Amino acid sequence: MAHDEPSKSAPNTKLVIRNIGLLFSGDLTNPILDADTVVAVGDRIAAVGKEKEVDTAGATVTIDAKGTALAPGLIDSHVHPVCGDWTPRQNQIGWIDSYLHGGVTTMVSAGEVHTPGRPKDIVGLKAMAIFAQRAFHAFRPGGVKIYAGAPVIEHGMVEDDFRELAAAGVKILGEVGLGSVKDGKTAHLMVSWARKYGIQSTIHTGGPSIPGSSLIDKDMVLETDADIIGHVNGGHTALPDDQITALCERSTRALEIVHNGNERAGLLALRTAMELKQLDRVILGTDSPAGSGVQPLGILRMISLLSSLGGIPAEVAICLATGNTAKMRRLDCGLIAPGREPSFVLMDKAQHSAGKNLLDSIQKGDLPGIGMVIIDGAISAHRSRNTPPATAVPE
C-alpha cells in the first residue's frame, strides 16, 4: 500500500535487541535467520546479524531478549473497525488494544460495515471512507497501525468515484458483496476501476455473514477477480469443498484464511495451496469483530491451528501471518530485514507447555506466551495480559 505513516519513534532513536534465541524472518523462503541481534534506527531496521558483527554503539534503548524468540509484528488482514477502539458489533471498548497483547501490530480493514446507520448513497459512502482513513491514520490504539477507510461498493458508482477516493488517500475496498453489487460483471468492472487507481480489493466468500448479506459463490469470486479472496474458509459459512479447491486452482489471487470461519475448510485451503506449491498466496485474518465476538489471540490461534493440524512448521505458519500478508497487502512491516519497519513481537514457550521449546509447543497446538510488543521501534506492550505467561521474558 506504500502508506506513509507517522512514526512513534523519533529519527534519532536507536533500538538494539540482543540475545535473541530464535529469529523469525517472516519470509517463507528463509523463515529462521542465523542471527541474535537486531538494530533499528528511527523507523527502519538498520541491521540484522550476530551481535559482534553489527553496530550496537550509541543505543538509546537496549532490550535483552533473554534467549526468547523475535518475530515480525503480526498482521490481521481482515478486521471491521468502526470508531476508535470501540466496536458496536459487540458494544466492546478496547478491542484493538487487546489485539496488541496478542502480538498484532498492524490491521487492515475489510470495511467499516458495522457503523450504525452506515450510509449507502455514493456521497455518503465516499465521505465515510475518507473519514475512516483519516481517523485511523491519526489515532492508533496502543500504537497499532490500522489501515482503514474501505468503502463497500454500491450500484451507481462510476469510475470517477474511484479516482476521487484514491486521490483522497483511500487505498482499499471493503468486502465486495456486502453492498448492493451482487453480480460478477458489475463487481469486476468496479474492481478494475479500483485497481486502475491503486486501490486494493477484497471479496466476501461463502454464505451470508449477517442478515442482509448474501451468498458469494466461486463463480462470482472468479468473475470479480478481486485482489484478495476474503475468508476463503467462509465468514462464517464456507463454500463446498470443490468450490474452495477450485478457487485455489483457478485463481492466482491471495487466499485469506480467517479465525471466524470454518476451521476444516481453512485446513483444506491450506493443504490445497501446499499441493499447488503456492503457500505464498496464503494470508491470515480474524474477520472480527463479528457475531463470534473479538479474538485478541485470533492470529496466534490461527498460527497454532495451521501448524498443529495443518502440518506446517511453526516458523512457516508465522510467515503466513507476517511476511505473506505484508507482501500481498503492500505493507512495509512483516519482515525482519534492513529497511523494513521495526515492529516486532517477542515470545517464548508458554509456562508448563508440553512442548520441548517454542516451535514444538506451537506444533503441539499451544499458544506462545508474549513477553513484549514493539511498534515502529517503540515498546508498546510488555508481558501480554492475554496470552499464557511466557517461560522467559525480555528486559
Side-chain angles (χ1 to χ4, degrees):
M1 281 173 203
H3 300 269
D4 296 313
E5 285 295 324
S7 170
K8 288 180 69 183
S9 59
N12 60 351
T13 60
K14 182 172 183 177
L15 170 72
V16 173
I17 307 174
R18 55 180 296 275
N19 197 17
I20 298 165
L22 185 63
L23 208 164
F24 298 111
S25 68
D27 183 355
L28 268 182
T29 63
N30 186 26
I32 296 177
L33 299 178
D34 183 20
D36 60 15
T37 304
V38 173
V39 179
V41 177
D43 63 355
R44 294 289 148 193
I45 296 172
V48 181
K50 298 289 189 182
E51 185 167 7
K52 60 181 179 294
E53 299 165 359
V54 299
D55 176 16
T56 59
T60 53
V61 178
T62 301
I63 294 168
D64 182 350
K66 297 282 187 180
T68 62
L70 181 77
L74 306 180
I75 307 168
D76 190 336
S77 173
H78 195 125
V79 296
H80 292 293
V82 170
C83 184
D85 206 357
W86 167 68
T87 169
R89 193 78 177 87
Q90 297 292 342
N91 196 24
Q92 189 165 332
I93 292 171
W95 70 277
I96 296 169
D97 184 70
S98 255
Y99 281 52
L100 168 73
H101 283 260
V104 172
T105 58
T106 306
M107 295 178 163
V108 182
S109 173
E112 297 75 39
V113 293
H114 302 146
T115 302
R118 172 169 69 91
K120 298 177 184 178
D121 64 290
I122 311 303
V123 173
L125 75 87
K126 288 193 294 187
M128 190 177 96
I130 294 166
F131 162 77
Q133 186 274 330
R134 298 287 194 278
F136 282 107
H137 179 84
F139 177 64
R140 291 166 50 180
V144 177
K145 286 187 173 179
I146 301 140
Y147 295 108
V152 173
I153 58 173
E154 301 282 356
H155 278 296
M157 294 183 79
V158 295
E159 181 176 342
D160 210 44
D161 292 316
F162 295 88
R163 182 194 59 77
E164 182 187 337
L165 283 164
V170 170
K171 303 284 189 185
I172 41 179
L173 289 187
E175 287 177 73
V176 173
L178 296 187
S180 57
V181 176
K182 309 285 191 189
D183 66 289
K185 183 180 178 183
T186 306
H188 178 79
L189 178 63
M190 292 189 181
V191 161
S192 300
W193 286 335
R195 195 173 283 134
K196 178 178 176 180
Y197 295 106
I199 299 174
Q200 191 176 69
S201 55
T202 298
I203 188 164
H204 177 96
T205 308
S209 51
I210 54 174
S213 60
S214 306
L215 167 71
I216 305 292
D217 66 7
K218 77 162 171 50
D219 294 332
M220 180 170 169
V221 173
L222 291 170
E223 187 176 4
T224 300
D225 192 32
D227 299 302
I228 312 284
I229 300 176
H231 49 63
V232 69
N233 60 322
H236 298 71
T237 309
L239 292 173
D241 287 4
D242 60 339
Q243 293 201 31
I244 293 172
T245 53
L247 289 176
C248 297
E249 292 165 355
R250 292 171 55 189
S251 171
T252 59
R253 303 299 184 181
L255 301 167
E256 183 187 74
I257 303 176
V258 300
H259 182 280
N260 279 339
N262 178 318
E263 288 91 345
R264 191 193 61 81
L267 293 167
L268 171 66
L270 177 74
R271 282 197 304 274
T272 307
M274 289 167 65
E275 288 164 9
L276 295 168
K277 296 183 168 52
Q278 294 175 3
L279 205 54
D280 58 319
R281 291 170 58 197
V282 178
I283 64 177
L284 305 184
T286 55
D287 190 6
S288 64
S292 310
V294 300
Q295 292 85 22
L297 306 183
I299 297 296
L300 283 180
R301 290 180 65 82
M302 291 300 296
I303 289 168
S304 178
L305 171 82
L306 297 180
S307 179
S308 61
L309 298 181
I312 58 174
E315 63 269 26
V316 170
I318 288 169
C319 293
L320 308 186
T322 55
N324 271 19
T325 308
K327 289 172 186 174
M328 285 291 184
R329 291 292 194 178
R330 306 196 292 269
L331 300 171
D332 281 339
C333 55
L335 294 169
I336 296 183
R340 304 293 293 205
E341 179 186 296
S343 294
F344 313 111
V345 55
L346 284 135
M347 52 192 174
D348 196 19
K349 180 180 85 165
Q351 290 177 14
H352 307 296
S353 166
K356 295 189 294 290
N357 51 42
L358 174 66
L359 293 174
D360 188 46
S361 70
I362 293 172
Q363 283 157 199
K364 282 184 164 63
D366 282 339
L367 298 176
I370 289 175
M372 187 177 286
V373 184
I374 296 164
I375 303 178
D376 278 342
I379 298 170
S380 289
H382 288 271
R383 180 173 241 163
S384 169
R385 65 173 185 260
N386 291 331
T387 63
T391 302
V393 293
E395 287 181 0

